[in-house]
Amino acid sequence: MVKPTAKKLGRNAPCHCGSGRKYKDCHLLAEEAARSEQLRLRQAQDTLLPKIIEAAQSVPDQFPPAFDRFWQGKYEYGVEQMEKLSTVEDRGSERFLTWFAFDFRQADGRTLVDQLDDAVEIGGFDVDPFERRLLSQWRRVRLRPYVVAEVRKGKGLSLRDLLGDAMYEVADHGASKRLAPGEVVVGHLISADTAPGAEAPTYYLAGAAAQLTDDTAEKLLEFAELHLADLRRRVPDATWDDVVDQRSEVLNHFVIALPQEQRDPTVMERIIAEGRIGLQLTAESVAALLGRTLPSDDE
C-alpha cells in the first residue's frame, strides 16, 4: 500500500517524491486511495466489534463453562448475574463477552471469531470487505496484560506488552483520559488502520478492559510466569503465546483477586503463593522451568 505523505501538498506543487512532476500527476491519486482505505478500516473496526459481541450474545447456552473458567467459579452464570457484573466487576459483563468471543474455544476447537471468519465464506456472517480483512487479522487476538508507557491526553497512548516488551500505539481517546503511565491494562488489542507514514498499524482496545494500579505489573508478571512454568512441564519450549492461547483467563483470575478499595501488597503476595500451591510448584521448580538461577543465601 502506498503511504500518504504527512505534509499536505497543493495539487500543482512538485511531487514530494522528487520526480519533477506535479503532485496531481504523480502520487496524489495513490495517496488519496491510501487515506480512504485508512478511514474505511477505522470505520470497520467500529462496526465489526459490535457484530462479534452480538454473535456472542446469541449463544448463551455456551456461556456456563466459559463463565466458570473466566470468573474462576466466583460467580454462577445467569442473566441477572451478567447484569450485576457490569457494576461489581467494572464492566465485567463486557469483559467476559469479549474474552468469550476471542479466547474461549468451542467444542470444535475454534474460537467464536474463528467460526465467524470461516462462516463468511458460506454467507453465514455478513461483513463488508474491510470488516472481513480485520476479522481475519483478529483470529490471533487474545487477552494480554499491557503496561501504559506513555499517555497523550485526548489522543491516544503507547502500551508495552508485559509478556514480551513489544510496543503498541493505541488510538483510544477515552482510555488516554483515564489511564496514567505505569498502570496496567488487561484487555484485547485489535489492529485496524495504518496511520500516514507509520510502519505498524494503529491498535484499539476491543470492548472493556481491566485497569490496574501501577504497583501490579511486577506481581502480575510473576503470577503469569507460574503458568508459563506449568506449561513447560508438559511442553518444554512453551512460550507466552502458548500461555495466552491456552489459559488467558488466568489473567482475569489475578484481576478479580485484587482489592477494589485500596492497595494491599500482601494480597498480591497471597495470590502468588496460592497460585504456586495450586499448580504444585516450588520457587526452585519455577526457576528451573524458566531457565533461571535462584540467588544463593550468600548473595
Side-chain angles (χ1 to χ4, degrees):
M1 182 181 76
V2 178
K3 296 177 182 176
T5 178
K7 181 179 179 181
K8 186 173 180 60
L9 295 177
R11 293 174 56 85
N12 292 311
C15 187
H16 58 81
C17 71
S19 67
R21 301 168 65 192
K22 291 182 179 180
Y23 181 45
K24 67 180 181 181
D25 298 323
C26 196
H27 273 82
L28 175 60
L29 292 180
E31 293 183 354
E32 285 182 338
R35 280 190 285 268
S36 176
E37 179 180 65
Q38 180 193 4
L39 177 60
R40 292 291 298 277
L41 286 170
R42 186 182 305 162
Q43 293 171 335
Q45 180 269 146
D46 288 333
T47 56
L48 177 58
L49 187 59
K51 290 183 179 181
I52 292 174
I53 298 303
E54 183 179 356
Q57 292 172 320
S58 70
V59 288
D61 56 305
Q62 299 177 33
F63 284 177
F67 204 81
D68 188 61
R69 275 183 57 182
F70 190 69
W71 297 113
Q72 203 178 17
K74 184 176 180 180
Y75 304 105
E76 184 174 346
Y77 173 69
V79 175
E80 293 183 357
Q81 192 71 274
M82 287 283 283
E83 296 175 353
K84 180 181 177 182
L85 282 171
S86 296
T87 55
V88 299
E89 289 290 352
D90 188 17
R91 298 173 69 188
S93 178
E94 293 178 65
R95 283 162 45 201
F96 165 73
L97 287 170
T98 307
W99 177 83
F100 176 81
F102 284 93
D103 299 60
F104 182 70
R105 294 190 181 278
Q106 308 293 324
D108 63 3
R110 295 178 297 166
T111 67
L112 179 64
V113 171
D114 291 336
Q115 293 177 338
L116 295 175
D117 190 36
D118 292 338
V120 173
E121 294 290 345
I122 57 175
F125 186 55
D126 185 24
V127 292
D128 66 32
F130 290 92
E131 291 172 333
R132 175 63 195 277
R133 283 172 56 181
L134 295 184
L135 183 60
S136 295
Q137 294 175 22
W138 293 358
R139 292 179 73 135
R140 298 181 295 277
V141 172
R142 298 290 184 271
L143 185 69
R144 294 183 81 104
Y146 303 91
V147 179
V148 180
E150 181 185 358
V151 174
R152 297 174 292 281
K153 294 291 185 182
K155 295 183 178 180
L157 56 155
S158 299
L159 297 181
R160 175 178 61 83
D161 186 350
L162 183 63
L163 305 182
D165 289 330
M167 295 295 297
Y168 298 92
E169 295 304 313
V170 181
D172 191 318
H173 299 178
S176 70
K177 294 178 180 179
R178 66 177 182 270
L179 291 169
E183 292 183 336
V184 174
V185 176
V186 180
H188 297 78
L189 279 191
I190 50 177
S191 59
D193 58 291
T194 301
E199 296 297 328
T202 299
Y203 289 82
Y204 299 81
L205 282 167
Q211 178 181 345
L212 310 182
T213 53
D214 58 10
D215 61 333
T216 58
E218 181 180 348
K219 290 303 178 183
L220 176 51
L221 178 59
E222 187 177 348
F223 178 77
E225 286 177 339
L226 296 179
H227 291 273
L228 176 58
D230 183 50
L231 278 182
R232 286 185 176 175
R233 289 193 286 200
R234 294 183 289 104
V235 184
D237 60 350
T239 67
W240 283 124
D241 286 342
D242 296 317
V243 173
V244 297
D245 187 57
Q246 297 180 32
R247 52 175 84 175
S248 63
E249 69 275 5
V250 301
L251 299 171
N252 190 59
H253 299 171
F254 182 90
V255 171
I256 62 178
L258 294 173
Q260 295 186 3
E261 300 301 326
Q262 58 186 1
R263 304 185 187 207
D264 186 348
T266 63
V267 171
M268 288 189 285
E269 293 293 347
R270 186 171 69 248
I271 296 172
I272 301 297
E274 292 176 351
R276 187 180 293 124
I277 293 171
L279 295 172
Q280 298 182 344
L281 289 165
T282 64
E284 291 76 14
S285 62
V286 171
L289 289 162
L290 297 181
R292 297 174 181 168
T293 301
L294 286 177
S296 65
D297 294 336
D298 297 332
E299 293 183 10

